Amino acid sequence: MHINYSFIIPVYNRPEEIQELLESFVRLKTDIKFEVVIVEDGSTVSSKAIVDNFMDTLEISYFYKKNSGPGDSRNYGMKRAKGNYFIILDSDCILPDNYLTEVDAELKMEYVDCFGGPDEALDSFSNLQKAINFTMTSFITTGGIRGKKKSIKKFQPRSFNMGLSKKAFKESNGFGSIHPGEDPDLSIRLWNLGYKTRLIPNAFVYHKRRISWNGFYKQVKKFGMVRPILTQWHPNTRSLTYWFPLVFSLGFVVSIFLLLLGYYWFILVYALYFLIAFLKALASTKNFIVSIYSLIAIGIQFFGYGFGFLNSTIALILLGRDPRTHFPELFYK
């Protein structure tokens, strides 16, 4: 099978991100032909002028549409792309110069209709961005679900760095309206259709998250809220591991209470975990401040996800709420 690549990139009010991403496309060291499809998702701050500057150096298309969310925008771009294999990126990503070469070599060696790649941080990223990158990607915090070599066996690609064949897109109808959570939902539906997914470890991107502590909390809380919804839609994906952040958070609260009563052994378990996390962050980032920030990010991640998960579980399981009407902020119309 001859692969023709189309990069699909939705953008919403982030022209500066598109500038950096397109510059990284220009720096790609490859003879492989590809096109870039930019989908402006109802932005009030347009990226068109930025895109126009690259018309002479890249095969690039620009589309503007009403705001309907990233999932629908990716579907919109894939329907209009010329290639037979789509690579979906978030606008806040930057490509290393060997990205496409790595993807093409892996697909020629072991073809798969859907792949995912990990994310890493550049030295130029802020301390906060590096800390959140460590927290989102470390095996000690997420179990490798976002794409490390020690990842879970059945990998669910994430849409910040994801490949999808045209055939798989047509048969699955692409992304759904839930957000976040549209990427694991698509992976599960692909599995049900008989498609395989896999991780390509060397196909990493530099993920330059424009985020604050408060923004990170809101993001991971939504991640926790959508997981019970996905489990309700796909009961065969139930796993006790999804309860871990909630158990971790409740256990921490209980250990603080017990400490006040004079029982300190329980809090020592948490102290040991955070010490190990700090040392791993220090070994990974070589930065003391980033390592301290990483501990804060881990706490936010576990508590945000855990209590988002609890909120959603109570609403769906105990109260029997319909997720679309009870959590409208998680769905695009």
Side-chain angles (χ1 to χ4, degrees):
M1 173 183 174
H2 181 71
I3 301 177
N4 296 310
Y5 294 100
S6 295
F7 286 87
I8 313 297
I9 305 157
V11 59
Y12 180 71
N13 289 341
R14 298 287 181 88
E16 72 285 355
E17 291 181 351
I18 289 298
Q19 174 77 34
E20 287 187 291
L21 178 52
L22 292 180
E23 286 173 352
S24 71
F25 274 109
V26 174
R27 293 192 297 268
L28 286 179
K29 294 180 179 178
T30 182
D31 294 326
I32 303 166
K33 291 185 178 181
F34 63 89
E35 69 162 338
V36 179
V37 179
I38 305 293
V39 181
E40 191 93 61
D41 185 26
S43 299
T44 56
V45 183
S46 175
S47 300
K48 189 176 188 308
I50 299 295
V51 174
D52 286 345
N53 290 335
F54 290 86
M55 288 293 184
D56 293 334
T57 52
L58 296 171
E59 183 180 347
I60 189 167
S61 301
Y62 172 89
F63 299 96
Y64 181 92
K65 53 178 279 298
K66 291 182 179 180
N67 180 252
S68 59
D72 184 65
S73 296
R74 297 179 193 118
N75 294 343
Y76 185 98
M78 287 187 281
K79 289 175 182 176
R80 288 156 179 79
K82 302 172 186 175
N84 59 8
Y85 206 102
F86 311 125
I87 299 179
I88 300 154
L89 302 173
D90 278 357
S91 62
D92 59 357
C93 291
I94 299 171
L95 299 180
D97 59 17
N98 65 333
Y99 177 86
L100 188 54
T101 303
E102 293 288 347
V103 169
D104 190 63
E106 285 284 340
L107 290 180
K108 286 179 178 176
M109 180 176 64
E110 184 184 343
Y111 180 82
V112 69
D113 284 283
C114 181
F115 77 85
D119 53 340
E120 297 188 4
L122 282 167
D123 290 339
S124 60
F125 286 9
S126 71
N127 288 339
L128 175 59
Q129 288 170 329
K130 292 176 182 177
I132 290 178
N133 178 267
F134 171 81
T135 304
M136 294 290 282
T137 61
S138 175
F139 187 79
I140 197 173
T141 56
T142 61
I145 64 171
R146 292 180 67 89
K148 290 297 182 183
K149 291 183 179 180
K150 294 182 180 180
S151 180
I152 53 177
K153 292 181 180 180
K154 209 169 184 180
F155 183 62
Q156 295 180 359
R158 294 301 193 264
S159 53
F160 68 87
N161 180 14
M162 178 182 188
L164 182 67
S165 72
K166 186 174 183 178
K167 177 185 175 185
F169 167 64
K170 285 187 172 181
E171 193 168 348
S172 66
N173 293 317
F175 295 94
S177 60
I178 192 171
H179 179 72
E182 70 275 18
D183 29 20
D185 172 58
L186 174 56
S187 294
I188 296 165
R189 288 188 286 109
L190 287 171
W191 295 341
N192 293 338
L193 290 169
Y195 288 99
K196 293 182 180 180
T197 61
R198 75 177 179 100
L199 169 71
I200 300 181
N202 291 330
F204 64 87
V205 299
Y206 301 112
H207 202 173
K208 194 175 184 179
R209 298 175 178 87
R210 318 276 188 185
I211 204 165
S212 62
W213 289 122
N214 185 54
F216 183 54
Y217 173 78
K218 290 180 178 178
Q219 182 185 58
V220 294
K221 183 180 178 182
K222 284 187 174 182
F223 288 160
M225 291 168 68
V226 302
R227 180 50 68 179
I229 298 173
L230 296 177
T231 302
Q232 187 180 75
W233 290 354
H234 309 288
N236 60 319
T237 64
R238 294 183 190 277
S239 174
L240 289 176
T241 58
Y242 298 142
W243 289 82
F244 177 74
L246 176 60
V247 173
F248 180 97
S249 302
L250 292 176
F252 184 80
V253 173
V254 171
S255 68
I256 294 294
F257 178 73
L258 291 175
L259 179 64
L260 296 176
L261 296 178
Y263 302 98
Y264 59 86
W265 288 106
F266 296 95
I267 198 67
L268 288 180
V269 175
Y270 284 89
L272 178 61
Y273 172 83
F274 280 108
L275 175 61
I276 293 171
F278 173 80
L279 294 175
K280 286 185 71 67
L282 189 61
S284 174
T285 66
K286 308 295 190 297
N287 187 308
F288 183 84
I289 299 299
V290 171
S291 301
I292 294 295
Y293 280 8
S294 295
L295 300 186
I296 299 172
I298 289 171
I300 291 174
Q301 183 183 52
F302 280 142
F303 275 84
Y305 185 103
F307 287 105
F309 183 91
L310 178 63
N311 179 23
S312 185
T313 298
I314 291 173
L316 271 60
I317 306 302
L318 297 184
L319 302 180
R321 304 298 190 197
D322 175 74
R324 292 181 181 274
T325 55
H326 194 73
F327 298 115
E329 69 275 21
L330 299 179
F331 294 88
Y332 280 91
K333 296 181 179 179

